[in-house]
Amino acid sequence: MSKKFESLKKLVAENEIKMLDLKFQDFPGQWQHFSMPIAMMDETLLEEGAGFDGSSIRGWQGINESDMLVIPDPESVFIDPFMKPKTLSLICDVVNPLTKEKYSRCPRHIAQKAEDYLKSTGIADTAFFGPEAEFFIFDNVQFELSENSAFYFVDSKEGRWNSGRDEEPNLGHKPPYKGGYFPVPPLDAINDIRGEMVMVMQECGLNVEYHHHEVATGGQCEIDLRFDSLMKMADSLMLYKYIVKNVALRQNQTVTFMPKPLYNDNGSGMHVHQSLWKNGKPLFAGTEYASVSELALHYIGGILKHASALTAITNPTLNSYKRLVPGFEAPVNLAYSQRNRSAAIRIPMYSSNPKTKRIEVRFPDPSTNPYFAFSAMLMAGLDGILNKIDPGEPIDKNIYDLPPEELTNIPTTPGSLEEALDALENDYDFLLKGDVFTEDVIETWISYKRENEIKPARLYPTPVEFDLYYDV
């Protein structure tokens, strides 16, 4: 009996586990799963996997090639806090049943290849990522699309729009629009539910740094995970989303990671802290601007050079580009700076300790597939290092206040998902190095987004169009 299987058996016995749940990620970035009695867990399952229909998963196999395998990763184990029969959960890799090779479109496999490629370059042996995912907790959400109607409606007891509603009684504690950053209760009415989310995360092995209310009214939140290596952090972020949504559900509330669910208030971003290490030593600390190394500046140069293409992956929804607009603290300008939160890349200056030196890429949002996003940003950064890409001069002014003549010299993020996909189509060679991403993965991503998101959205009239044009 292998040590890994023996450890799982011990966990099963000590916790009286009844079921085994196998989780894996589809192509766009959602977890999928199926369960079985715990008696089905044996060493064969860990080595050979379990079969499923790959044609039923978004962006994967055709129906003529539907048979696929999932291979559980014993190191990903946690006891699922939401399933009634006590359940052991494992995250899986996806494998071709004929060749026994990992599936090229499996997001987890791409993250593994990105880490392998990093080591092969000799530049570093570890890439650390620390995402700051934002989300909204709502009390009600309704939406519908049909041939003759379309609407959405979201609501929150702490939404400023409810300041005049009769709530028997209305106690008036509603964060102002753009005024929800860091208030204490009772203005922060969702502190306790965030605390419960953090407690469950810790029970499942996640390392949480802190949580707080975010800028927008109506239940915007942030919970930050402590940095970890690329694939471990991608696994952790998937578990984070799972926990946040299900803790809210059992409180009869609902969570969305949609970047811009509210008009005229801040959207939800996911600032991603990044650093490279080798032999236990940080590589981003140095004597250049903001006390970073030349290597870090070149990493920044790679991110900025490929930023437009990256957004097709890091900001992968139509809704993402309703957040990436001026005036709502979204970093639309592709520049870098120390401390300056209006830049697309910020160099935090909280500490002089070299181990804390990192960069913060601020344009991604939490709708992204984290395995793809972290891998793509690493590949762009490495391309910058290998080709010594100069990031240009930093901008320490408030970019939002710059006059038009100065702004014209600063490139910006794409204005739509369509523009971002066009940019990716014209700039993806850096992603192919080390066979991390493949031509098939890039082409499938672009075609999936165009066919399943951009094309349908073009056909639907919206309430805004009725407001503007009904009387023409």
Side-chain angles (χ1 to χ4, degrees):
M1 184 184 297
S2 70
K3 288 185 178 180
K4 289 182 179 180
F5 182 65
E6 189 175 342
S7 177
L8 290 178
K9 291 288 284 184
K10 183 179 179 182
L11 193 61
V12 166
E14 290 176 348
N15 292 277
E16 299 181 344
I17 301 294
K18 304 299 181 186
M19 299 292 291
L20 176 67
D21 194 64
L22 302 181
K23 293 179 172 67
F24 60 99
Q25 200 192 44
D26 67 11
F27 195 61
Q30 295 288 324
W31 252 359
Q32 310 292 320
H33 82 123
F34 57 92
S35 303
M36 59 186 69
I38 196 64
M40 297 297 292
M41 188 185 78
D42 57 19
E43 287 193 274
T44 301
L45 177 67
L46 295 183
E47 293 170 1
E48 299 181 10
F52 73 100
D53 177 8
S55 67
S56 299
I57 307 301
R58 298 181 300 167
W60 279 13
Q61 296 292 88
I63 198 167
N64 59 316
E65 303 177 300
S66 60
D67 288 350
M68 301 292 286
L69 292 172
V70 289
I71 306 289
D73 179 357
E75 294 184 7
S76 70
V77 65
F78 64 95
I79 297 174
D80 196 298
F82 304 107
M83 297 185 178
K84 285 188 177 179
K86 216 152 189 193
T87 300
L88 197 71
S89 187
L90 293 168
I91 304 174
C92 301
D93 296 316
V94 181
V95 172
N96 185 310
L98 300 180
T99 65
K100 303 299 181 183
E101 293 178 349
K102 290 184 179 179
Y103 183 39
S104 64
R105 295 184 195 174
C106 172
R108 209 164 183 262
H109 180 41
I110 288 171
Q112 291 162 350
K113 289 192 291 182
E115 291 187 316
D116 289 342
Y117 174 69
L118 171 65
K119 293 173 185 175
S120 76
T121 64
I123 294 169
D125 52 40
T126 308
F128 285 119
F129 288 80
E132 299 176 351
E134 298 169 352
F135 56 91
F136 280 85
I137 302 175
F138 291 131
D139 298 306
N140 185 51
V141 57
Q142 298 166 257
F143 53 90
E144 183 176 77
L145 289 173
S146 66
E147 283 71 16
N148 70 320
S149 69
F151 82 92
Y152 73 88
F153 177 81
V154 297
D155 203 7
S156 164
K157 286 181 291 231
E158 68 156 44
R160 191 69 168 191
W161 56 85
N162 283 324
S163 61
R165 185 172 69 176
D166 184 5
E167 296 180 342
E168 301 180 346
N170 187 328
L171 300 178
H173 301 298
K174 318 285 186 187
Y177 298 105
K178 298 188 181 183
Y181 197 58
F182 277 25
V184 299
L187 203 60
D188 179 4
I190 47 181
N191 180 77
D192 287 348
I193 190 171
R194 290 198 311 273
E196 184 180 347
M197 290 168 178
V198 170
M199 294 300 102
V200 176
M201 288 180 188
Q202 291 178 322
E203 290 169 11
C204 292
L206 297 184
N207 194 350
V208 179
E209 288 194 324
Y210 50 79
H211 71 85
H212 58 84
H213 201 289
E214 256 300 335
V215 175
T217 191
Q220 192 182 31
C221 302
E222 178 175 313
I223 302 175
D224 294 342
L225 298 177
R226 185 166 177 78
F227 67 89
D228 208 337
S229 58
L230 189 155
M231 196 182 74
K232 286 182 180 179
M233 181 51 74
D235 282 347
S236 294
L237 191 57
M238 294 305 297
L239 178 54
Y240 169 111
K241 286 187 172 184
Y242 180 69
I243 290 170
V244 164
K245 289 180 178 180
N246 281 284
V247 167
L249 185 65
R250 68 188 187 189
Q251 297 292 341
N252 202 31
Q253 293 178 290
T254 180
V255 160
T256 181
F257 288 92
M258 183 177 172
K260 190 77 170 184
L262 298 182
Y263 168 69
N264 211 31
D265 208 339
N266 282 31
S268 292
M270 188 178 75
H271 309 147
V272 183
H273 297 255
Q274 304 169 42
S275 64
L276 298 182
W277 289 55
K278 187 174 184 179
N279 298 325
K281 295 181 180 180
L283 301 182
F284 276 11
T287 57
E288 302 293 325
Y289 171 80
S291 299
V292 300
S293 63
E294 185 179 43
L295 180 141
L297 289 176
H298 290 150
Y299 189 99
I300 291 170
I303 296 282
L304 292 176
K305 176 182 177 181
H306 300 296
S308 292
L310 286 174
T311 56
I313 296 170
T314 60
N315 305 74
T317 69
L318 293 163
N319 185 254
S320 296
Y321 297 86
K322 290 179 169 59
R323 167 185 167 256
L324 285 179
V325 293
F328 296 91
E329 300 186 23
V332 296
N333 298 288
L334 297 176
Y336 73 103
S337 175
Q338 63 179 352
R339 303 176 66 187
N340 191 342
R341 294 171 189 269
S342 63
I345 297 178
R346 184 175 76 96
I347 302 170
M349 301 296 291
Y350 297 123
S351 170
S352 59
N353 186 339
K355 292 184 177 180
T356 67
K357 187 55 65 178
R358 61 198 186 275
I359 69 162
E360 178 191 38
V361 181
R362 295 177 59 82
F363 54 79
D365 69 55
S367 68
T368 189
N369 180 327
Y371 300 95
F372 287 169
F374 298 162
S375 299
M377 285 187 282
L378 175 63
M379 296 302 289
L382 291 177
D383 186 62
I385 293 170
L386 291 168
N387 291 291
K388 293 182 167 46
I389 296 174
D390 183 354
E393 292 298 315
I395 298 180
D396 289 325
K397 301 176 184 178
N398 184 342
I399 300 175
Y400 301 134
D401 292 338
L402 289 180
E405 58 272 18
E406 288 189 53
L407 276 173
T408 57
N409 298 320
I410 303 174
T412 60
T413 54
S416 67
L417 178 59
E418 191 166 16
E419 286 182 28
L421 292 171
D422 289 344
L424 178 60
E425 197 168 43
N426 292 312
D427 177 26
Y428 64 83
D429 286 348
F430 69 99
L431 296 172
L432 303 180
K433 293 177 181 177
D435 197 40
V436 175
F437 289 81
T438 63
E439 294 265 4
D440 172 68
V441 166
I442 301 298
E443 290 170 2
T444 302
W445 182 260
I446 292 171
S447 64
Y448 181 90
K449 290 288 175 179
R450 285 175 173 164
E451 188 65 26
N452 294 282
E453 299 177 32
I454 291 174
K455 185 176 177 181
R458 281 177 175 162
L459 301 179
Y460 275 101
T462 69
V464 173
E465 290 170 296
F466 273 81
D467 184 63
L468 290 171
Y469 308 127
Y470 186 77
D471 284 324
V472 294

